[in-house]
Amino acid sequence: MSPRGRKASLPQADHARPEPLAPDGLVVHHHNRAGRVKEYDFSAMPVAEPMQRSLAAVFAGFCRPGTWGAHTTSEGYWYQLEVFTKFLAGLENPPRDLDEITSAVVKQWRLGLGTNRGSYHANSLITRLLLSDGRLQTGPVADELAVRRKEPKSQIQSYSEAEFDEIKVAARRMFRSALLRIRENAQHLERWRQGDYYQEGSQGWLVGQALDILARTGDLPRSVHQDARPRIVIRKYAKALGGRKPAMTWQRLFLSRMEAVALGVLLMAEYGWNLSVIDHAEVPRALPDPGEDGHPTYRIPLEKYRRGAGHHYETRNVTDDGAASQGRLITQALEATSFARAIVENLVPGTDRLIVWRTHKPGRQQASQDRLPPVSHFHFGIHTSYTQEWAHAQGFSGAPFQRGRRTVNALDRRQPGQNSQETHDRRYVLVDKRVQAEAVEVIAVGAEDAALRARTGVLAAELREQPTAGDVETATADCSDYNNGPHPAPEGGCGASFLMCLGCQNARVHPGHHGRLAHLHTALTNLRSVVPPPAWKADWGETHERLEDLKDKLGAATWSQALAQVGDADRELIRHLLTGDLDT
């Protein structure tokens, strides 16, 4: 099924998926998701031919749909295999095949890797490949390969608030300038097409005609040379447009490469997307029914292959209901890329990419076959090298996407973006120094509040269904250990007031106490209206808070029933307790 819902044509009846491993057993062909092929020749590895064939076989086992979908993945494994085979070739007695690798060889290789993240990554890749060979899945070598190494902590930290604001301002300034330029020229083109604003042959009319050609073809008519000189925009349009530079010609309707990066930075800052998601982002669709207010709601399809099979895709809905809304950036991105996307759709229907930009050097091929190939003058997405170039041009020390995404998800959003809660906490929140610093004050306040509650308003007494044999009855509860309480008297026993029993872990409260405690709660509440607040809080505040806690634990029905069962003996006991006659 194509992105626009058209059914794909079926393959021929005799079609078969090409096998990754060539008949000679030494060459592996990796087909990525787009069907483009990259070749790996294992005969170039500096090891014996049996080892070359074994490594080619295990490598080919991963070059299948659903396992390695991108050439960047196979290239990473290939590079680590080159390093590993050079290590094997440098041994005094190099193994001729995988079954000759010993646990001592594996240990020696691991010791030479180091402890940084690159070493951890190399160990993971080579271990995965070797364990896929049946000969290394049992025995001492398998045990050694199965030893887990602790993953080093990420050194990537979030930006400070000032740093991130500076990056967003630079991206917003560049993209907004491009958007206003395209919008202004789009309005000029619309007026020209209506035919009511410019006299034919005037400068304004020629500019409109040039924009019309640009909007339909992506370029302007150029002079023809017989020699190797580059062709230039013909004089008529160059004069009307004010020159032949990109800013005067094609940039009137299309984003440049750096302006596309600026848009990507804004998408990262607004939605927390990583660079791979932005690079492959499809065009968001406005939902069929935007509602009575007319504000568009966009359905954004997102692609995240690292999540594993069955979890590659998700969608987000954002609404543009004002300048500060999340959907406004999508509206602006669609507007800034509208002319480029229209030309691409006409040339290659179904391309359906959000970020489309024009190059001034058409025909240049991309090194990576994982990325969508250019269509005429137009390229798609954002390559990592472009982000470095943008950052350098703006005066920043490095590409902003990894640190920026950490800043958005760990500090601004404070919730998972495209990760599980566990990954979000482990990789983004807990390891970030800015999060840790900002959490100190919050943790301290929380700990202080918890300690205060523990000292005052929390019911420490244990709730029971019935009395327990051996407990000693007090005015407010039963005591399970009168001689070993938290407030011992000088002469032995407990020196605390009966009002403090509810804050003692030795106390036991059962239904026989509910009536008198409910009456005590009512009495303390009534006292609050006649006693000065400071005095009431000092004398009765803690007890009242514990009774409030008890009331919440028992529930409204039980509490009402307890109030209905209060007898004269309970009232007399509470009266003596409040007048101090029962204090020990």
Side-chain angles (χ1 to χ4, degrees):
M1 185 77 71
S2 75
R4 294 189 178 275
R6 292 187 288 267
K7 291 185 177 180
S9 58
L10 295 175
Q12 297 179 358
D14 59 348
H15 172 78
R17 180 185 299 143
E19 287 297 323
L21 188 62
D24 65 1
L26 291 172
V27 176
V28 177
H29 298 97
H30 180 207
H31 294 73
N32 64 8
R33 296 185 191 96
R36 292 183 283 274
V37 184
K38 187 173 182 63
E39 182 178 286
Y40 297 94
D41 186 358
F42 280 79
S43 65
M45 293 286 185
V47 288
E49 184 176 330
M51 178 75 77
Q52 294 173 348
R53 294 183 179 277
S54 295
L55 292 176
V58 298
F59 192 86
F62 289 91
C63 292
R64 299 182 180 278
T67 307
W68 290 350
H71 288 162
T72 51
T73 304
S74 56
E75 287 168 356
Y77 277 86
W78 173 260
Y79 171 77
Q80 296 300 340
L81 274 177
E82 287 183 317
V83 176
F84 180 66
T85 54
K86 287 179 182 177
F87 160 77
L88 295 178
L91 296 175
E92 185 175 350
N93 295 305
R96 291 186 52 79
D97 205 346
L98 289 179
D99 57 359
E100 294 184 17
I101 294 178
T102 64
S103 58
V105 169
V106 175
K107 285 183 179 180
Q108 184 179 347
W109 166 65
R110 278 182 168 162
L111 287 174
L113 287 178
T115 58
N116 57 25
R117 290 189 67 83
S119 300
Y120 176 86
H121 181 67
N123 175 76
S124 300
L125 267 56
I126 295 299
T127 296
R128 187 184 184 199
L129 286 174
L130 296 182
L131 285 174
S132 68
D133 186 281
R135 293 167 293 178
L136 300 181
Q137 292 176 356
T138 58
V141 177
D143 294 339
E144 184 62 34
L145 288 171
V147 173
R148 300 190 64 178
R149 300 183 65 182
K150 183 178 180 181
E151 183 177 0
K153 292 182 179 179
S154 173
Q155 300 301 310
I156 300 173
Q157 296 294 316
S158 62
Y159 288 109
S160 68
E161 186 174 352
E163 288 175 323
F164 199 44
D165 284 345
E166 188 177 355
I167 290 170
K168 289 188 290 186
V169 166
R172 193 176 296 116
R173 183 188 302 117
M174 178 176 286
F175 176 69
R176 180 167 177 77
S177 175
L179 175 65
L180 293 177
R181 180 188 73 231
I182 293 171
R183 181 180 295 167
E184 179 182 355
N185 283 280
Q187 292 169 352
H188 189 116
L189 174 59
E190 182 62 26
R191 291 194 297 267
W192 182 87
R193 285 175 172 173
Q194 292 175 1
D196 299 332
Y197 292 89
Y198 304 107
Q199 181 179 359
E200 185 172 349
S202 67
Q203 181 179 0
W205 190 91
L206 285 172
V207 170
Q209 187 181 53
L211 292 174
D212 181 65
I213 296 171
L214 267 178
R216 288 185 289 105
T217 68
D219 200 9
L220 292 169
R222 295 177 178 270
S223 58
V224 179
H225 296 291
Q226 300 300 324
D227 53 23
R229 287 183 297 166
R231 298 190 302 158
I232 58 176
V233 175
I234 62 175
R235 185 174 181 277
K236 177 176 68 171
Y237 293 124
K239 183 178 180 181
L241 295 171
R244 293 186 170 93
K245 293 182 178 180
M248 300 295 182
T249 54
W250 59 263
Q251 285 185 11
R252 287 173 176 266
L253 295 181
F254 311 119
L255 294 177
S256 68
R257 183 175 73 244
M258 290 297 97
E259 290 166 346
V261 176
L263 171 57
V265 172
L266 295 178
L267 290 170
M268 173 272 295
E270 182 66 43
Y271 306 116
W273 299 344
N274 63 25
L275 185 57
S276 65
V277 169
I278 295 171
D279 185 38
H280 294 86
E282 297 180 2
V283 177
R285 308 295 178 194
L287 297 180
D289 182 12
E292 296 180 359
D293 54 11
H295 298 146
T297 295
Y298 299 103
R299 179 180 179 273
I300 307 175
L302 301 178
E303 192 175 43
K304 184 77 171 181
Y305 283 105
R306 289 186 181 179
R307 285 185 170 182
H311 304 281
H312 291 167
Y313 302 96
E314 68 175 49
T315 58
R316 301 284 177 85
N317 292 340
V318 296
T319 299
D320 176 6
D321 57 4
S325 63
Q326 276 200 318
R328 177 51 56 92
L329 180 58
I330 298 299
T331 299
Q332 293 174 340
L334 293 174
E335 182 181 0
T337 60
S338 60
F339 291 102
R341 289 185 291 106
I343 294 174
V344 169
E345 178 64 22
N346 184 56
L347 295 174
V348 184
T351 303
D352 207 39
R353 290 298 175 87
L354 174 60
I355 297 185
V356 186
W357 50 273
R358 190 192 187 280
T359 179
H360 67 285
K361 295 181 178 180
R364 176 180 292 181
Q365 295 299 314
Q366 298 176 146
S368 173
Q369 296 190 74
D370 290 328
R371 309 187 73 246
L372 201 63
V375 174
S376 183
H377 298 77
F378 299 96
H379 290 241
F380 309 96
I382 304 170
H383 191 267
T384 305
S385 61
Y386 308 160
T387 68
Q388 296 284 354
E389 183 181 349
W390 183 86
H392 179 74
Q394 299 299 316
F396 302 125
S397 58
F401 282 87
Q402 284 189 315
R403 292 185 65 189
R405 186 167 185 255
R406 179 180 294 278
T407 305
V408 173
N409 289 330
L411 290 151
D412 293 353
R413 293 162 53 99
R414 298 183 184 274
Q415 60 183 353
Q418 294 167 266
N419 306 109
S420 65
Q421 185 68 51
E422 179 186 0
T423 300
H424 174 72
D425 293 339
R426 177 164 49 89
R427 292 185 177 274
Y428 287 87
V429 178
L430 298 179
V431 298
D432 192 82
K433 294 180 180 178
R434 185 178 162 195
V435 174
Q436 295 167 358
E438 293 186 3
V440 170
E441 184 177 352
V442 176
I443 293 172
V445 171
E448 185 177 348
D449 180 68
L452 180 61
R453 285 180 174 273
R455 292 194 301 269
T456 57
V458 176
L459 179 72
E462 183 179 338
L463 301 182
R464 295 287 181 89
E465 292 295 330
Q466 57 187 3
T468 301
D471 287 353
V472 177
E473 186 176 6
T474 73
T476 55
D478 288 352
C479 183
S480 63
D481 195 353
Y482 179 76
N483 293 311
N484 294 288
H487 305 287
E491 64 277 10
C494 181
S497 164
F498 289 130
L499 291 174
M500 298 182 66
C501 288
L502 299 179
C504 177
Q505 293 181 344
N506 292 338
R508 306 288 184 265
V509 174
H510 56 76
H513 302 116
H514 292 175
R516 74 183 69 165
L517 292 176
H519 182 65
L520 175 60
H521 178 265
T522 302
L524 294 181
T525 302
N526 293 336
L527 277 174
R528 195 171 195 170
S529 63
V530 297
V531 177
W536 183 90
K537 184 174 183 180
D539 293 339
W540 317 111
E542 291 184 13
T543 302
H544 188 268
E545 287 190 25
R546 292 191 179 106
L547 290 169
E548 284 281 341
D549 194 13
L550 174 63
K551 180 180 178 180
D552 291 340
K553 284 181 169 63
L554 294 179
T558 302
W559 196 255
S560 297
Q561 184 179 6
L563 285 172
Q565 295 174 349
V566 176
D568 292 339
D570 293 321
R571 294 186 181 92
E572 186 68 13
L573 181 65
I574 297 304
R575 184 179 69 80
H576 286 298
L577 183 63
L578 294 180
T579 57
D581 294 341
L582 294 181
D583 281 354
T584 57

